[in-house]
Amino acid sequence: VGEFIMKIIFDKSISELGIKNIVIGIARNVDPNAELSASFLEKQNKMQEWALQCDINEIIHNSTIQGYMDLLQKVGRSVKKNPPTALALIRNIQHRGSIPHINSIIDIYNVETLNSLLAIGGHDFNKINEYIEFTVVQKEDVFLPISSTEKHVAETDYVYRDKNGIMAWLDVRDGENYKFDDKTKNAIFIIQGNINTSVKTRLEALKRIQNDLAECMANLEFETHIVNAGEDRGFNPLLNL
């Protein structure tokens, strides 16, 4: 068991954008290669059918998606170039004709992204160094998104990062250096949300992720944390390293 305190730092620059609380789920003893349950595969199939049939223009007007678009516009970022996660996933599914199958952890939270339209950051907990800081970067930086090339980060961009680098950028791209792989044992799910997403709806999304993981991962342990603006939190996640 790893004995260390993971610190969460909530910079005021994030609350100034209208984000007042962040919801976090930590899943221990996950198995990225677990066989997905029949009930989950049925749910995945239903969400795939919905995504293939849905009208993108209607989704754009959903209040959750609008909240993410407002955040991007607040910091002067193009919504066209950086569409909210759920929108990008739906477009991807419509383009390829099916939902992507990556690994059991990612497949589960992708289904929840479609279900709730929330941007859900998923990372290998053991790859995080010392703390997670939610902040506007305030100085130019670089970021390596999953399966992509290095991106320029403007000083006005909002991110969360650890001691080593940026874990997620503008709530639209997650970092390559923190991604799930075949050896992932512990996962963290982060839902920053926006002005239109309540803590309740975000906790419900984490509960559905927990239930879907638990159906196919017998030793799963799951805990949730709410971090409010103006408070830095430390918690001991008791990781099985």
Side-chain angles (χ1 to χ4, degrees), residues 51-65:
L52 288 168
Q53 305 296 327
C54 80
D55 179 349
I56 285 282
N57 293 320
E58 273 180 31
I59 302 295
I60 285 170
H61 292 106
N62 174 282
S63 68
T64 298
I65 297 293

Side-chain angles (χ1 to χ4, degrees), residues 24-174:
I24 294 172
I26 295 169
R28 295 187 288 281
N29 308 322
V30 293
D31 177 4
N33 307 302
E35 194 175 331
L36 293 161
S37 70
S39 63
F40 175 77
L41 291 172
E42 193 183 328
K43 180 160 87 164
Q44 185 182 47
N45 204 38
K46 278 188 183 143
M47 290 314 299
Q48 174 178 278
E49 289 315 302
W50 172 80
L52 288 168
Q53 305 296 327
C54 80
D55 179 349
I56 285 282
N57 293 320
E58 273 180 31
I59 302 295
I60 285 170
H61 292 106
N62 174 282
S63 68
T64 298
I65 297 293
Q66 282 292 318
Y68 288 122
M69 289 179 161
D70 291 348
L71 271 174
L72 286 160
Q73 284 159 348
K74 256 185 195 173
V75 299
R77 279 293 189 176
S78 160
V79 170
K80 206 178 169 87
K81 284 187 188 156
N82 308 292
T85 310
L87 215 49
L89 180 57
I90 293 166
R91 283 189 183 136
N92 182 21
I93 293 166
Q94 291 185 349
H95 176 70
R96 44 179 288 151
S98 64
I99 197 166
H101 295 270
I102 300 158
N103 70 40
S104 299
I105 308 169
I106 297 169
D107 290 0
I108 283 170
Y109 82 87
N110 272 347
V111 163
E112 183 50 42
T113 294
L114 293 174
N115 184 48
S116 61
L117 303 179
L118 290 164
I120 304 165
H123 313 277
D124 184 320
F125 201 111
N126 297 59
K127 293 179 180 178
I128 301 167
N129 196 350
E130 284 193 28
Y131 60 79
I132 303 171
E133 179 186 27
F134 296 85
T135 188
V136 168
V137 287
Q138 291 152 30
K139 63 177 181 16
E140 291 191 17
D141 207 338
V142 289
F143 166 63
L144 183 61
I146 292 173
S147 307
S148 188
T149 52
E150 213 165 61
K151 291 214 175 305
H152 171 259
V153 178
E155 59 191 31
T156 46
D157 290 347
Y158 48 93
V159 303
Y160 54 87
R161 60 189 177 198
D162 75 348
K163 190 181 179 184
N164 296 341
I166 293 172
M167 294 170 60
W169 174 71
L170 298 176
D171 226 2
V172 298
R173 300 295 292 271
D174 284 349

Side-chain angles (χ1 to χ4, degrees), residues 1-7 26 28 125 223 225 233-240:
V1 172
E3 283 287 334
F4 77 100
I5 301 294
M6 166 66 68
K7 195 158 187 254
I26 295 169
R28 295 187 288 281
F125 201 111
E223 64 187 63
H225 297 270
R233 285 276 302 280
F235 53 87
N236 182 347
L238 287 172
L239 290 186
N240 299 316

